[in-house]
Amino acid sequence: MHKIGYKIPFVLTLLLSVVCGPSDNTQKSDTLAKQNPMFVDVTKEVNLDFVHDPGVDGRYFMPESIGSGGAFLDYDNDGDLDIYLINSGPHNGDKKDETNITNQLFRHEGNGTFANVTAESGLGDTGYGMGVAVGDINNDGHVDVYVTNYGPDALYRNNGDGTFGNISKQAGITNPQWGCSAVFFDYNLDTYLDIYVTNYVAYDPTDICMDRSGRQDYCGPAGFPGVPDVLYRNNGDATFMDVSMESGLAAGASKGLGVVSADFNGDHWPDVYVANDQEANHLWINMGDGTFTDKALMRGIALNELGRPEAGMGIALGDAENDSDLDLFVTHLRTESNTFYRSEGEHGYQDDTVVAGLAGPSIPYTGFGTGFFDYDHDGDLDLAVVNGRVTRGPLLVHNRRSYWDDYAEPNFLYENDGQGQFRALTAEESAFGRPIENSRGLAFGDVDNDGDIDLLVTNEGGPARLFRNEADHNGHWLIVRAVDPNLDRNAIGATITVHVGNKRMTRLINPGYSFCSSNDVRAHFGLAEADAVDEIAVLWPDGTIETFPGAKSDQIITLKRGQSTSQQSNTD
């Protein structure tokens, strides 16, 4: 069967050719970026030697164009962030484990460099990789790893000695579909982390798709049926039960790519938001009885302001206005803008993409990984987006280097003015958009423990890149880890609010956002001129609030449940 891939209007295609075409100032921009970069590519310097291999063989196998992601995690509990990168490999009948194309684990050596410890760790998964989620499934203080694949997913249990074991079969992990993003969260508040997995489409590799020039290209999702997502309930003994049907999450098929979990309606039960490709997004509200109801349309985050579904990929979640409400940002296909949903509290969300200044800059590009973070410590959340096409477009790279150059697009950093208005920084200012590659995953974390957030970018068919934050920081900072000693693990789903004078800043303990990636589990606060915070409040996942005393800035602190100055049960 011959199909047209993603539909791009002819007029807009011409427009994109003009807007996105190679700039005469490309070399000048690169020179300026090197002189005063906000972010420095330190990939080679730190020995992060990884190149994603999607197994391109000329048949335009659709999963080649979608994955894959990466993760920041501290798998050995030494206080330094390690890196796990997802690979793909052959899909033409060759056995992947005979090609040495596997996922890769890089251990932080404590001196700023990384060592590839894949072989001894047991994390060299050989599936056709897409995404990764990180969480402690058995409350033993060691993070475990869930890998999504095109085909059977895999769950790796951390043995606590630097090694992992694949426990997928005995744990009951049986998802055979095209899994993408996944997230750990405790949906039934039984203290054990459950797993939500987005599934994409029921892809038929025999289908052939063409671009408008009659050349074969990658198919879009329109020609294939969606697949229900999966919810695995943790049984508390390192085994899981597929409760997708009984929970109501599998009531209808969808085309899920991005996912994030948070309490979206203030009832202290964790909910799930899913970005679907060319279909309405889902907001699965947790009813507290093991079931979920989709309230995305009612809350204003199913469609854009024109009432249309978009090609949802990655998700950012954060308080962009410092009003203690969590705003949403979803990345989309070129010719669509990315969408900024501003939280209106109990009234739901408003599509404020144009007002926020995020519409125009994003229209020419296809966004994937994304996240809110305060890159310059001025006290408000900025925004990063990595881009890359899924079908051919105008050549943007200065010198053709690889097969993926026809799909390559620059990445963007957007600066928040403190009022929820954003400005796209130029390549000269950020140095984050160079080189131009076909990016997918984006992970956020303080990899060198110096108080600012660094960026890990994964590229389709290209090298993973680590960008160290070297921005001029005009303010102080605080990094907070929240731990429940009774569970011996990070308090996934907790909300941290710091009070500085009349200002409040809220962050979520939640590593699962962006696209197919997992992030630093610690909460980061830019404090501007404040050399201390007055008070820290922790809303634990079960609704209990603890108030901790203030702390001096420019340090990493750990807050342990039950060790505060006051505790109360939040029943509002």
Side-chain angles (χ1 to χ4, degrees):
M1 179 182 294
H2 294 263
K3 300 178 179 179
I4 297 292
Y6 284 84
K7 296 181 179 179
I8 300 176
F10 178 69
V11 173
L12 279 173
T13 303
L14 293 179
L15 176 61
L16 292 174
S17 299
V18 175
V19 173
C20 303
S23 169
D24 294 334
N25 295 322
T26 299
Q27 292 179 322
K28 179 180 178 182
S29 297
D30 287 337
T31 301
L32 290 172
K34 291 176 182 177
Q35 291 175 350
N36 188 29
M38 289 182 178
F39 287 86
V40 177
D41 184 349
V42 296
T43 309
K44 291 183 180 180
E45 176 185 326
V46 302
N47 300 325
L48 187 64
D49 185 13
F50 175 88
V51 177
H52 176 250
D53 185 348
V56 172
D57 63 3
R59 293 187 297 170
Y60 292 89
F61 181 66
M62 187 180 171
E64 291 174 4
S65 68
I66 300 299
S68 53
F72 281 126
L73 72 167
D74 184 7
Y75 82 95
D76 52 3
N77 287 341
D78 65 353
D80 295 317
L81 291 178
D82 311 297
I83 292 175
Y84 187 56
L85 295 165
I86 307 301
N87 217 333
S88 300
H91 46 77
N92 55 5
D94 294 342
K95 293 183 178 180
K96 183 177 174 183
D97 55 5
E98 296 177 358
T99 65
N100 295 319
I101 300 174
T102 69
N103 299 346
Q104 303 283 307
L105 177 65
F106 293 85
R107 183 183 64 213
H108 197 296
E109 296 295 85
N111 60 1
T113 66
F114 291 84
N116 191 324
V117 294
T118 307
E120 56 262 48
S121 72
L123 270 183
D125 191 76
T126 59
Y128 196 90
M130 287 287 142
V132 55
V134 176
D136 183 356
I137 65 170
N138 51 358
N139 298 340
D140 66 351
H142 302 284
V143 292
D144 310 295
V145 174
Y146 188 96
V147 177
T148 62
N149 291 310
Y150 174 77
D153 294 344
L155 177 63
Y156 288 88
R157 182 171 55 196
N158 191 329
N159 297 320
D161 58 1
T163 69
F164 290 78
N166 188 334
I167 63 168
S168 308
K169 185 175 181 180
Q170 57 265 44
I173 302 301
T174 58
N175 181 36
Q177 305 296 333
W178 181 351
C180 285
S181 298
V183 64
F184 283 98
F185 74 126
D186 183 9
Y187 85 91
N188 53 3
L189 299 182
D190 66 351
T191 75
Y192 290 98
L193 294 178
D194 312 296
I195 308 170
Y196 188 103
V197 183
T198 62
N199 283 326
Y200 194 29
V201 298
Y203 172 56
D204 181 355
T206 65
D207 280 5
I208 298 175
C209 295
M210 303 293 197
D211 65 16
R212 293 187 179 277
S213 299
R215 299 172 298 176
Q216 187 173 353
D217 205 347
Y218 293 104
C219 294
F224 307 103
V227 178
D229 294 340
V230 175
L231 175 62
Y232 287 112
R233 184 185 65 211
N234 192 329
N235 295 322
D237 57 1
T239 68
F240 291 80
M241 175 71 70
D242 185 343
V243 294
S244 311
M245 289 300 296
E246 63 192 72
S247 67
L249 294 170
S254 56
K255 301 175 181 180
L257 286 176
V259 64
V260 70
S261 176
D263 177 11
F264 284 93
N265 62 348
D267 64 354
H268 310 305
W269 290 93
D271 312 305
V272 179
Y273 182 70
V274 179
N276 290 313
D277 196 356
Q278 297 188 347
E279 293 186 350
N281 300 324
H282 295 312
L283 174 60
W284 294 111
I285 293 295
N286 191 333
M287 306 307 293
D289 60 0
T291 66
F292 291 79
T293 301
D294 187 5
K295 298 289 188 180
L297 188 61
M298 180 182 299
R299 301 286 292 180
I301 47 179
L303 311 166
N304 67 11
E305 65 178 348
L306 299 178
R308 296 174 181 170
E310 297 175 292
M313 277 82 157
I315 304 174
L317 179 69
D319 183 7
E321 299 175 292
N322 285 331
D323 60 359
S324 298
D325 291 327
L326 294 176
D327 307 298
L328 276 165
F329 179 80
V330 184
T331 58
H332 295 127
L333 190 70
R334 62 190 174 119
T335 75
E336 302 172 343
S337 72
N338 298 331
T339 301
F340 176 63
Y341 295 105
R342 196 185 306 275
S343 174
E344 301 292 338
E346 64 181 17
H347 301 294
Y349 288 81
Q350 173 71 37
D351 180 347
D352 270 356
T353 311
V354 174
V355 174
L358 292 166
S362 65
I363 288 175
Y365 306 108
T366 295
F368 277 91
T370 186
F372 289 110
F373 74 125
D374 186 355
Y375 83 91
D376 54 0
H377 296 170
D378 64 354
D380 51 58
L381 290 177
D382 309 297
L383 182 65
V385 179
V386 297
N387 299 301
R389 303 181 190 123
V390 290
T391 54
R392 289 188 197 89
L395 185 67
L396 301 184
V397 298
H398 188 66
N399 294 306
R400 183 179 291 277
R401 299 181 302 271
S402 76
Y403 170 89
W404 292 105
D405 287 345
D406 288 326
Y407 304 84
E409 294 178 337
N411 300 327
F412 282 91
L413 179 63
Y414 296 88
E415 187 172 54
N416 190 340
D417 69 355
Q419 304 299 318
Q421 309 292 312
F422 294 85
R423 178 179 70 91
L425 300 181
T426 65
E428 296 96 304
E429 294 173 290
S430 72
F432 176 53
R434 308 290 185 186
I436 298 176
E437 293 172 307
N438 190 28
S439 301
R440 291 293 181 268
L442 176 60
F444 299 76
D446 183 5
V447 75
D448 48 6
N449 284 334
D450 66 348
D452 53 31
I453 300 299
D454 310 296
L455 303 174
L456 175 67
V457 179
T458 65
N459 292 299
E460 185 74 40
R465 296 190 183 276
L466 180 62
F467 289 88
R468 187 171 61 207
N469 189 334
E470 295 289 347
D472 292 331
H473 301 125
N474 298 319
H476 297 283
W477 56 272
L478 183 70
I479 290 178
V480 180
R481 182 178 176 224
V483 175
D484 188 336
N486 296 322
L487 307 181
D488 197 24
R489 65 166 172 82
N490 293 302
I492 304 297
T495 301
I496 314 295
T497 300
V498 300
H499 298 253
V500 182
N502 294 326
K503 189 174 184 178
R504 294 189 305 170
M505 289 177 280
T506 298
R507 306 287 185 264
L508 188 65
I509 300 295
N510 174 25
Y513 57 92
S514 188
F515 175 76
C516 286
S517 298
S518 189
N519 307 273
D520 192 344
V521 72
R522 301 171 297 184
H524 173 268
F525 298 85
L527 299 177
E529 298 178 355
D531 58 5
V533 299
D534 302 321
E535 184 179 87
I536 307 173
V538 180
L539 173 61
W540 299 102
D542 65 357
T544 299
I545 297 177
E546 286 191 86
T547 303
F548 291 80
K552 290 188 177 298
S553 63
D554 303 328
Q555 63 171 327
I556 300 172
I557 64 173
T558 297
L559 302 181
K560 295 183 179 180
R561 183 167 185 171
Q563 299 182 9
S564 67
T565 56
S566 65
Q567 302 180 49
Q568 69 182 78
S569 177
N570 187 344
T571 58
D572 293 341

